[in-house]
Amino acid sequence: MRDFSQDHRWLSLNTATVRKQGDLAAIIEACARHGIRAIDPWRDQVAAIGLDRAVRLVKDAGLELSGYCRGGMFTADDAHRSAVRDDNRRAVDEAAALGASCVVLVVGGLPQYSRPGSAPSKDIVAARAQVHDALADLLDYARQAKMPLAIEPLHPAYAADRACVNTTKQALDLCDALDPSRSGALGVALDVYHIWWDPELLPQIARAGKDRLMAFHVCDWLVPTKDLLNDRGMMGDGVIDIRSVRAAVEAQGFAGYSEIEIFSDAWWNQPMDEVLATCIERHRSVV
Ligand code: ZN
């Protein structure tokens, strides 16, 4: 297992962590100040400053992208399906322009929540089948663009409104079904916030293996959690044994970035430099 205690060269910043403190240009400047070598930007942050400018800033700063957030939200009724497909293809193209290592996919929950305006449904089985089919279609496109896709399983509390893929096993079942040869085109993004509770986590990480482990996200689970979406904790402030999960993914050969992704009203209210300094300190002491 890699030693993170001496430096933070394997720290990547998911730019949502400081999205309220500045735009992507300001975040990239702050990364330079703090010696952060990698980011995972969100599409809306890229759109806000323009894709061409984002590409230039990333290149000029010498940043790597540990992922691109995000594609997915595949579940939609018939009226919205082609719009979803086109939007995901654009996400793949943007990720390629930015030089991202993968597109992170949050697959969508029940249609009416994932895609406002879609017809109401209580059929989570149908939603999962739709994810399979839409993902198969996107995979064809992504293969041509040589852009890997990483399915991020989300905690079951998000099954209705964000993702009906809720465990590492489910995500890997999709990988096996759609990319049985393990070509490197499809894998998983594992976020400790979503998977730490899973009794099957360690065997599923072993099942994933190096070629399916495409991204590793860290934050912490606070007790109590006041808001399931926007009350994530800084690493070390909660109950997740982050280091043991990192040990498990690294035992499979994962050697990529440890990406900090914290959606938190509390941290969004702190100055950007303070948040990044704390991220670096916790990366070294806790992750
Ligand atoms: Zn994540």
Side-chain angles (χ1 to χ4, degrees):
M1 185 175 174
R2 293 171 293 176
D3 177 11
F4 283 177
S5 68
Q6 303 303 311
D7 59 59
H8 58 283
R9 76 179 301 277
W10 292 111
L11 185 163
S12 173
L13 178 71
N14 185 296
T15 55
T17 304
V18 285
R19 68 154 60 247
K20 302 274 171 78
Q21 289 94 326
D23 67 7
L24 187 59
I27 294 170
I28 288 172
E29 274 177 34
C31 285
R33 279 199 299 282
H34 290 269
I36 291 173
R37 304 195 320 147
I39 58 172
D40 178 349
W42 283 65
R43 291 186 73 196
D44 64 299
Q45 293 174 302
V46 169
I49 66 165
L51 177 62
D52 292 345
R53 184 166 172 229
V55 167
R56 207 164 50 241
L57 290 177
V58 163
K59 196 169 169 230
D60 290 350
L63 283 169
E64 293 197 277
L65 262 65
S66 58
Y68 187 48
C69 278
R70 61 175 196 222
M73 294 296 169
F74 295 119
T75 49
D77 61 21
D78 292 344
H80 297 85
R81 213 158 285 179
S82 66
V84 169
R85 187 198 58 208
D86 293 347
D87 191 48
N88 272 297
R89 291 180 175 185
R90 280 193 294 275
V92 167
D93 294 341
E94 291 162 21
L98 287 158
S101 59
C102 61
V103 174
V104 176
L105 300 176
V106 169
V107 300
L110 297 172
Q112 75 268 32
Y113 298 108
S114 301
R115 183 69 40 175
S118 288
S121 163
K122 294 184 178 179
D123 195 343
I124 196 168
V125 175
R128 286 174 173 150
Q130 196 177 347
V131 166
H132 171 282
D133 295 349
L135 182 56
D137 181 75
L138 183 64
L139 187 59
D140 285 341
Y141 186 86
R143 276 186 201 282
Q144 285 165 33
K146 296 189 166 45
M147 177 51 58
L149 302 176
I151 306 164
E152 182 167 7
L154 260 52
H155 187 284
Y158 300 94
D161 59 354
R162 283 196 165 68
C164 57
V165 171
N166 305 106
T167 62
T168 307
K169 176 182 185 298
Q170 242 186 310
L172 290 171
D173 287 349
L174 278 168
C175 292
D176 285 352
L178 297 174
D179 183 39
S181 69
R182 291 177 164 263
S183 69
L186 185 62
V188 294
L190 296 186
D191 185 325
V192 296
Y193 192 75
H194 296 299
I195 60 171
W196 69 276
W197 57 272
D198 184 353
E200 281 198 67
L201 180 59
L202 295 182
Q204 291 299 324
I205 287 173
R207 172 190 172 195
K210 184 179 194 290
D211 49 345
R212 293 242 203 264
L213 293 168
M214 293 184 172
F216 181 62
H217 299 175
V218 298
C219 65
D220 215 333
W221 186 280
L222 301 178
V223 181
T225 289
K226 298 193 199 95
D227 183 295
L228 270 176
L229 190 60
N230 294 328
D231 190 30
R232 293 187 180 205
M234 177 64 66
M235 300 79 68
D237 289 348
V239 296
I240 303 177
D241 184 354
I242 298 169
R243 197 163 281 172
S244 78
V245 184
R246 183 164 75 85
V249 299
E250 292 196 10
Q252 297 305 314
F254 177 80
Y257 286 97
S258 178
E259 178 182 319
I260 297 173
E261 183 183 38
I262 303 173
F263 311 146
S264 161
D265 290 321
W267 288 103
W268 283 327
N269 278 316
Q270 301 296 319
M272 177 143 39
D273 284 313
E274 207 162 294
V275 176
L276 296 188
T278 307
C279 284
I280 289 166
E281 191 267 309
R282 299 297 178 86
H283 173 85
R284 294 167 71 147
S285 63
V286 179
V287 175

